[in-house]
Amino acid sequence: MPRLESCTWSCSCAARGRHKTQQGDTATKAGEMLSSGGPSQVSAGHGARSPGGAGSTLNWSRHLVQRSVVLFVVGAFMALVLNLLQVQRNVTLFPEEVIATLFSSAWWVPPCCGTAAAVVGLLYPCIDSHLGEPHKFKREWASVMRCIAVFVGINHASAKLDFANNVQLSLTLAALSLGLWWTFDRSRSGLGLGITIAFVATLITQFLVYNGVYQYTSPDFLYIRSWLPCIFFSGGVTVGNIGRQLAMV
């Protein structure tokens, strides 16, 4: 009887040990599947993430379109008003058939300037994020509105102020434009983009004047006025600040 009981006890212990070993193997396999991620888990995770990714992409695209529309409208309106000032002061001269159109200005000026404003306004925050230097200096709408007012004043000064020669006017407007950048921007990307915009816009204007699309009175710098790059520089900085502020919304 003692031998039979000992044998029965040893058999039950062995069976219990094999059962625990099988449970351990099952738990180990389950842990490996969880750590590696099975096909069903990967597909389920992908399905859970897809709607969120698509929604964020849609929101980003919608926000980009809204910013572009706002920048286009602002650029077209400012170009219409400021170009009207230049035409009334006989700084720029268009052909007679063009002057007879709406607001005594060329029809293509507001759309072109609006498109340029949209491109520049979207480019400024993009360059900031690419360089890893987010612009944080005076980031509020009140500062943006003051920057617009200063830019309009600089453009108004180019048509109203009378100097002994164009060099003095150009130097004055250059100082005002740099002052606008220092007051409302102070970023290296803003300075670099402003100079680039002024250079490219001046070349395009020279090309248009050379082909007789319109002309300037008293040109002193390759068919145009020498102070025109200052206007383009300050305009680029102003539109860039508007684009940066819209990107924060």
Side-chain angles (χ1 to χ4, degrees):
M1 291 299 293
R3 291 180 181 178
L4 181 59
E5 291 177 356
S6 61
C7 182
T8 303
W9 182 80
S10 61
C11 291
S12 62
C13 291
R16 194 178 297 112
R18 286 195 300 270
H19 181 67
K20 291 182 178 179
T21 302
Q22 292 176 357
Q23 289 180 346
D25 294 341
T26 304
T28 303
K29 291 180 180 179
E32 291 177 354
M33 291 181 66
L34 289 174
S35 61
S36 60
S40 60
Q41 183 182 1
V42 174
S43 61
H46 179 71
R49 288 192 300 267
S50 296
S56 61
T57 303
L58 181 61
N59 291 334
W60 181 83
S61 301
R62 187 180 304 168
H63 183 52
L64 186 66
V65 172
Q66 291 175 352
R67 288 160 51 194
S68 302
V69 171
V70 172
L71 289 168
F72 178 86
V73 172
V74 171
F77 178 76
M78 292 178 62
L80 188 64
V81 174
L82 298 178
N83 188 58
L84 178 61
L85 175 65
Q86 300 286 344
V87 171
Q88 289 180 347
R89 296 291 296 179
N90 292 325
V91 177
T92 55
L93 300 176
F94 289 92
E96 294 182 359
E97 61 272 12
V98 174
I99 295 299
T101 59
L102 183 64
F103 294 112
S104 298
S105 180
W107 65 268
W108 49 266
V109 172
C112 292
C113 293
T115 304
V119 173
V120 172
L122 296 177
L123 188 61
Y124 264 77
C126 181
I127 294 298
D128 291 338
S129 61
H130 180 72
L131 296 178
E133 298 178 356
H135 186 260
K136 299 179 180 179
F137 182 71
K138 291 187 177 182
R139 297 303 302 273
E140 66 273 351
W141 281 111
S143 177
V144 174
M145 297 305 296
R146 287 193 295 269
C147 183
I148 295 175
V150 174
F151 168 64
V152 174
I154 292 175
N155 196 286
H156 188 73
S158 66
K160 290 285 188 179
L161 295 180
D162 294 325
F163 283 84
N165 51 58
N166 289 327
V167 176
Q168 294 180 1
L169 178 59
S170 301
L171 292 177
T172 302
L173 295 181
L176 292 175
S177 300
L178 290 176
L180 181 143
W181 168 80
W182 179 257
T183 305
F184 300 103
D185 194 319
R186 296 190 187 182
S187 65
R188 293 179 297 176
S189 59
L191 179 63
L193 281 174
I195 294 174
T196 303
I197 291 168
F199 178 75
V200 174
T202 301
L203 289 180
I204 295 175
T205 305
Q206 289 175 339
F207 176 79
L208 294 176
V209 174
Y210 178 77
N211 286 275
V213 178
Y214 69 101
Q215 60 181 339
Y216 284 89
T217 57
S218 303
D220 60 328
F221 179 66
L222 298 177
Y223 311 108
I224 63 174
R225 302 292 291 269
S226 57
W227 46 260
L228 195 60
C230 304
I231 302 298
F232 290 141
F233 175 83
S234 57
V237 173
T238 302
V239 174
N241 283 336
I242 298 174
R244 284 167 169 168
Q245 192 66 29
L246 289 174
M248 291 181 61
V249 178

